[in-house]
Amino acid sequence: MKSFKTFVIASALILAVSGCKVEKPADTDGHDLWFHNLEQVSDATPASYTTEAIAQNEIDRFWKGKAAVEIKVLDKQDDALGRDGYRLVFSSGKVSVEANTAIGTLYGVYGLLRLQQTDALPKGSKTITEVPAYEYRAFNHWDNLNRSVERGYAGKSLWNWDELPDKVSPVYQEYARANASVGINATAINNVNANAQILTPEYLQKVKVLADIFRPYGLKVFLSLNFAAPKHIGGLDTSDPLDPKVVQFWKDKTAEIYALIPDFGGYLVKANSEGQSGPQDYGRTHADGANMLADALAPYGGVVFWRAFVYDAQAEDRAMQASDEFVPLDGQFRDNVLVQVKNGPIDFQPREPISPLFGQAPKTNLMLEVQITQEYLGHSKHMVYLHPLWKECLDTDTYEFGKGSTVAAVTEGKYRDNKLSAISGVTNIGDDANWCGHQMAQINWYAYGRMAWNPDLSSDEIADEWLRQTFSSDPKFLKPVKDMLNRSREVNVSYEMPLGLHHIMASNAHFGPGPWETSYRKDWSPQFYHKAGPDGVGFDRTVATGSGATAQYNEPLASTYDNIETCPENLLLWFHHVPWDYKMKDGQTLWNELCHTYQKGIEAAEEYVRIWEKAEPYVDNQRYQEVRTKLIRQAKDAMWWRDAVILYFQTFSNMPIPDDCYPAQHTLEELQQVGVFRRPQMPQGGARPQGTPQMPRQPRPEIYDMLPDYTLPSMPEL
Ligand code: GCV
C-alpha cells in the first residue's frame, strides 16, 4: 500500500514538473469557427481587398513555419488544375503555392494553413495536388427578406436588408472567408420560396454590395427566383415561359443583374412545388421553364439550378414523384441547366434511400442537394454530424452505367460530355454569435465544404480536421469526441426513425415525435408514411403489392429493395409493410428490434454527456457549458421520441416493451398533448356574437418549451 502511495505521489510530481497539466483554454463564443486555433483571428483584414492581397495576408499573419511561402499564379496554364485547383510544393526551406488563378492560390493558402493546424505538414519534400470534384460548390440560404430563415435554427438571416446597401456588417466578409477556407464558391442568398422583391432595382443594389464583398473570396452570388416575377414585379399578366413578353422580361432582368454583378452565378428555382408557381401553371414543362431562364443566362456564362423537389397531394406515393416528372424530360434541358435533386425521395429524413432519379436521367446534368440545417434531425438542439448521411448517399451505387456509377460519380459528371457539375447544401447559418446555433453544428458547415471539394474524404478525416482546428488536438480529447461525432447520425436515426421509418415527426415544427398525426393532405400525414395497424408497420413500396417505387431503381438495387429478405434492415420499413412478429436477422421480432434500437439510441445519447464531461479540461468553459446543456436535452428528447413512437405503435402491436428497455415515463395521452397549439375557446355557441370583442390572439408557445419532463438514469438535471 505504501509503495502504491509513493507511486501516486511521484507520478503526480512528474506530471506537474513536466507541465502535462492541461491548461484550460480561454472562453469563446465560437464565432471564430475553425480558425479558432489560429492566432490574431480577429484581425484578418488585408490592406487591399483583392484575392492576391487576401492570400498573402493570411500567410503573413498565420503561417508559423520556418519555410518561406511563395504564392504563384502559373504563367503557363496547367490543365490538370483547372480553375480552382492548386499545388503545394514542399522543398527544403520553401513552400510554393501554385495555381492557374488567384482564387486557386487562395484555396491553396487555406489548404496549407489547414495542414499546419492539423499537424499534417509533410516532413520532407513533397508535392500535394488538390482539384475540386465539383465546379459549383453551392450554399442555399432559405433566408427571407424580413430576415426570418425557413428551417433556420441559428437566429435571424445574416443579410440585414434594412441596413444594406449603406451599412455593411463585418460578418459578410467573415462569412466569405469561412466559405473560401473550405472551398464553397457559390451562394444562393434567398429562400427558394422566393419573394420576387429581390429582383427589384432597390434590392439588386443591396445584392451587389454583398457580391462585391464575396468576390475576392471566389464566392459567386445566385438568386432564388419566384417564377411568377413577371406578374409580381414586371407588370405582365402572365409568367408563361413561352410568352415572348415573359422571355423578354427575363432577358432584361438578367442583363440588369449582370450590369451590376458581372460574375453573377445564376438562378435557383423551386417551381410547381409546395404552392410555388411554375411553368406547369401554363401547361408547360419544367424543361420549358428552365430552358427559358438558361437562354437568358447563357450569354453571360450563368447557370440554372432547377429543383426536382416536386410532389402533390394526388400522387399515390410522394417518393416516386420527382422521377415520374423528370425522367420523361431527360435530354431536354439546356447545357447550362443543372437539375438539383435532394439526396432522398421524400425530404431530408434521418435516413432515406437515394433518390431514384440519380439513376434514371443519363442525359441530364444532375446535382445533389443536401440539408445542412437539421430540419428533421433535432434542429440546433441536437448534436448530429451529418457527413455520414451525405456520404452514404454519395457512395450509393445507382448502377446506371454499370457497377460503380455511384451518386458521386454521376453528379461529378463522369459519364457526361458536359462537364458542368455542382452540389448544394441548405445552410445552417444565422446571426447567432456561434453562427449555427449549436457549437457542434459548425462541423456540418465545415464538412459540407470539404465534401463538396472532395467527396472521397471520410467522415472520420473531416471530423479529425475540424476538431483539431476548432477545439484541441490532444488525443485524450480528440479520440472520444471524434468517435461520438462519427456515431451521432446513426444514433439520431435510432432514437428518431429507425429501420426505415420516416416522416413521423410532429408536423408543426418538424421537431419531436408525432406518429399519431394526420393532415388534410395525406402526403403530409405521419400515419400515411408508417401505416401502422394490427397487421404491422411500414410503407409497402414493392411492385407486387405496393406502390412499385422499388422499380424506379436500377438492378440489382430494385430487386434487393423489393425483396423483404434482401432489403437492408435499416430501410426495411421504407420499402415494406412488416408484421410485428416478423423475424429480423438477429432472431428478434420486429417489435423487439424496434424497442431495442430506440433503447440503444437513448443510451448512446446519455453516453454523450459522460464523454463530454471527460473532455471538459480541453474545452473552454463557455463552449463546454453550452454543449453540455444541449447534450442533456438531447438525451431527454431521445426518451421522448421513444416513448411517443413505441407507446403509439403498442396500441397496434399489443406487445410489451422488453424488460431490458427503460420503462415509459409518460402516457401516450400526455405526449399527444405536446405541441398541440390550441386556439382560444370560442364563446359557447360557436361563432362570435355580433358586438363582442374579438378574442386576443395568443402567442403560440415554442414547441421547445413544451418538452415533457424526463429523468434518465445517470443523467444530470438541467
Ligand atoms: C423551402 C421541406 C421544408 C420546406 C422547404 C421545402 C423545400 O418541405 O419543410 O420548408 O421549403 O422542403 O425544400 O423546398
Side-chain angles (χ1 to χ4, degrees):
M1 190 62 187
K2 191 166 170 250
S3 64
F4 177 70
K5 265 192 192 158
T6 317
F7 168 76
V8 172
I9 293 167
S11 312
L13 272 174
I14 291 164
L15 279 179
V17 172
S18 64
C20 280
K21 194 172 175 311
V22 185
E23 205 180 306
K24 188 85 176 155
D27 273 3
T28 169
D29 58 11
H31 190 72
D32 40 11
L33 294 164
W34 43 91
F35 303 106
H36 181 64
N37 290 336
L38 289 170
E39 283 150 27
Q40 310 166 36
V41 223
S42 54
D43 189 12
T45 312
S48 95
Y49 202 62
T50 61
T51 307
E52 291 82 350
I54 291 167
Q56 192 58 55
N57 181 68
E58 298 283 10
I59 290 296
D60 293 346
R61 287 181 183 276
F62 305 122
W63 173 245
K64 296 174 193 154
K66 290 206 187 70
V69 176
E70 184 194 22
I71 302 174
K72 200 159 79 185
V73 174
L74 295 166
D75 295 333
K76 195 169 163 298
Q77 291 285 300
D78 181 340
D79 289 346
L81 294 180
R83 184 193 58 193
D84 292 349
Y86 62 84
R87 198 160 274 146
L88 301 177
V89 186
F90 296 86
S91 55
S92 67
K94 197 174 142 197
V95 189
S96 168
V97 181
E98 303 174 358
N100 287 328
T101 58
I103 189 63
T105 64
L106 184 60
Y107 292 137
V109 161
Y110 287 124
L112 179 62
L113 293 176
R114 183 183 313 118
L115 293 176
Q116 168 185 280
Q117 294 311 106
T118 55
D119 305 324
L121 286 168
K123 298 279 178 277
S125 297
K126 188 171 178 185
T127 298
I128 296 175
T129 304
E130 285 274 343
V131 180
Y134 294 100
E135 183 178 345
Y136 290 93
R137 305 172 293 278
F139 249 179
N140 291 181
H141 285 266
W142 285 356
D143 294 18
N144 298 312
L145 300 187
N146 64 6
R147 297 194 70 193
S148 62
V149 180
E150 184 155 350
R151 311 305 176 187
Y153 315 106
K156 290 194 295 231
S157 166
L158 290 184
W159 326 128
N160 196 328
W161 297 109
D162 286 346
E163 290 182 358
L164 283 164
D166 301 326
K167 200 167 162 208
V168 168
S169 160
V171 166
Y172 304 151
Q173 189 196 339
E174 293 168 2
Y175 162 86
R177 178 180 184 235
N179 281 333
S181 76
V182 290
I184 293 168
N185 69 348
T187 181
I189 57 177
N190 61 315
N191 193 354
V192 288
N193 292 330
N195 184 334
Q197 273 308 101
I198 195 141
L199 297 172
T200 58
E202 183 200 349
Y203 270 89
L204 289 178
Q205 287 297 337
K206 300 170 194 261
V207 176
K208 172 190 159 43
V209 171
L210 293 177
D212 289 345
I213 296 170
F214 299 165
R215 186 167 301 113
Y217 288 95
L219 190 61
K220 280 182 189 233
V221 166
F222 279 67
L223 290 177
S224 295
L225 281 193
N226 185 313
F227 201 78
K231 277 169 83 175
H232 289 186
I233 59 161
L236 301 185
D237 58 1
T238 178
S239 297
D240 180 348
L242 300 192
D243 185 304
K245 297 189 297 296
V246 172
V247 173
Q248 195 57 46
F249 168 88
W250 286 114
K251 272 194 179 152
D252 294 346
K253 189 48 76 184
T254 306
E256 183 187 342
I257 296 174
Y258 276 96
L260 292 169
I261 307 169
D263 60 343
F264 179 65
Y267 300 131
L268 167 63
V269 192
K270 170 175 177 177
N272 293 118
S273 166
E274 297 187 330
Q276 295 298 302
S277 106
Q280 292 173 344
D281 302 352
Y282 305 93
R284 316 297 185 194
T285 67
H286 286 289
D288 293 331
N291 291 344
M292 180 269 298
L293 294 169
D295 290 345
L297 289 161
Y300 312 94
V303 299
V304 180
F305 296 160
W306 188 271
R307 297 178 86 224
F309 177 67
V310 291
Y311 64 96
D312 64 53
Q314 310 326 319
E316 190 203 338
D317 182 359
R318 171 173 161 185
M320 299 172 73
Q321 205 165 335
S323 286
D324 284 347
E325 285 195 29
F326 279 84
V327 171
L329 302 176
D330 189 30
Q332 294 184 26
F333 291 98
R334 297 275 193 273
D335 283 352
N336 60 335
V337 174
L338 288 124
V339 172
Q340 181 168 311
V341 185
K342 287 189 182 183
N343 57 286
I346 298 278
D347 192 11
F348 300 137
Q349 300 299 292
R351 169 164 280 122
E352 298 193 32
I354 59 164
S355 167
L357 189 51
F358 288 116
Q360 291 180 295
K363 292 185 253 148
T364 304
N365 305 322
L366 295 173
M367 63 186 278
L368 168 66
E369 174 180 328
V370 297
Q371 198 179 43
I372 309 169
T373 190
Q374 292 167 230
E375 176 177 354
Y376 298 99
L377 290 92
H379 297 188
S380 55
K381 307 285 174 195
H382 291 195
M383 180 196 69
V384 187
Y385 173 36
L386 296 173
H387 186 265
L389 185 166
W390 307 329
K391 181 83 173 136
E392 182 173 286
C393 170
L394 284 169
D395 287 351
T396 301
D397 206 333
T398 68
Y399 295 97
E400 183 175 22
F401 304 94
K403 199 165 162 30
S405 34
T406 59
V407 172
V410 168
T411 54
E412 282 171 41
K414 290 195 172 148
Y415 305 98
R416 293 189 246 114
D417 293 336
N418 179 350
K419 287 297 170 219
L420 187 63
S421 65
I423 184 166
S424 76
V426 181
T427 72
N428 62 349
I429 302 171
D431 75 344
D432 273 6
N434 68 21
W435 301 86
C436 301
H438 194 312
Q439 298 288 354
M440 304 302 266
Q442 294 178 357
I443 194 174
N444 294 325
W445 178 1
Y446 181 87
Y448 169 72
R450 297 291 288 131
M451 174 182 82
W453 183 279
N454 182 357
D456 293 336
L457 287 173
S458 70
S459 301
D460 189 77
E461 284 170 298
I462 295 175
D464 191 272
E465 285 181 3
W466 179 76
L467 283 169
R468 285 172 187 270
Q469 295 171 90
T470 313
F471 286 100
S472 164
S473 291
D474 193 308
K476 293 206 198 74
F477 168 84
L478 199 57
K479 180 154 185 341
V481 177
K482 191 168 58 167
D483 288 351
M484 170 169 88
L485 284 169
N486 283 339
R487 286 196 308 273
S488 61
R489 182 280 183 127
E490 204 58 51
V491 169
N492 174 269
V493 172
S494 304
Y495 68 69
E496 282 197 358
M497 309 187 205
L499 303 181
L501 286 170
H502 52 286
H503 212 290
I504 58 168
M505 69 291 160
S507 44
N508 47 23
H510 294 183
F511 183 86
W516 46 77
E517 286 189 20
T518 55
S519 156
Y520 69 98
R521 278 184 62 158
K522 69 173 189 300
D523 55 344
W524 289 345
S525 291
Q527 291 198 24
F528 172 72
Y529 291 99
H530 62 66
K531 300 194 189 301
D535 63 335
V537 61
F539 198 125
D540 185 353
R541 294 194 162 101
T542 62
V543 173
T545 52
S547 72
T550 53
Q552 288 188 330
Y553 294 90
N554 298 315
E555 286 299 352
L557 274 191
S559 41
T560 306
Y561 290 153
D562 200 64
N563 181 344
I564 193 168
E565 295 298 321
T566 54
C567 182
E569 287 192 338
N570 62 15
L571 288 173
L572 188 67
L573 305 179
W574 185 285
F575 288 113
H576 296 272
H577 190 76
V578 183
W580 297 107
D581 60 0
Y582 176 79
K583 267 269 172 64
M584 301 292 286
K585 298 212 166 68
D586 61 6
Q588 297 194 77
T589 60
L590 170 66
W591 171 255
N592 277 2
E593 183 88 27
L594 265 178
C595 293
H596 283 130
T597 309
Y598 275 105
Q599 176 67 22
K600 275 191 212 136
I602 300 165
E603 285 175 13
E606 281 182 279
E607 167 105 39
Y608 290 167
V609 181
R610 294 195 287 274
I611 293 170
W612 190 245
E613 285 178 344
K614 287 210 185 102
E616 200 239 317
Y618 309 93
V619 184
D620 60 280
N621 200 44
Q622 189 173 344
R623 285 188 299 171
Y624 171 75
Q625 292 299 349
E626 271 182 49
V627 172
R628 180 174 175 276
T629 304
K630 292 205 173 197
L631 291 178
I632 295 172
R633 165 67 194 269
Q634 181 171 358
K636 294 183 176 201
D637 285 351
M639 252 321 254
W640 173 28
W641 266 97
R642 194 294 305 263
D643 272 10
V645 177
I646 289 297
L647 290 180
Y648 172 71
F649 284 168
Q650 197 174 35
T651 63
F652 303 106
S653 77
N654 285 313
M655 290 169 152
I657 297 177
D659 288 344
D660 52 355
C661 297
Y662 294 155
Q665 288 182 27
H666 287 275
T667 64
L668 181 58
E669 291 67 33
E670 283 163 5
L671 296 173
Q672 285 177 326
Q673 291 310 307
V674 179
V676 175
F677 302 122
R678 296 197 178 284
R679 287 179 182 282
Q681 290 297 298
M682 281 288 183
Q684 288 276 312
R688 180 160 55 97
Q690 285 219 326
T692 52
Q694 193 161 8
M695 304 282 291
R697 268 193 172 273
Q698 305 256 335
R700 275 183 159 201
E702 270 268 3
I703 179 131
Y704 305 126
D705 301 329
M706 304 182 71
L707 167 70
D709 196 34
Y710 275 104
T711 50
L712 286 163
S714 80
M715 178 62 47
E717 281 308 307
L718 272 181

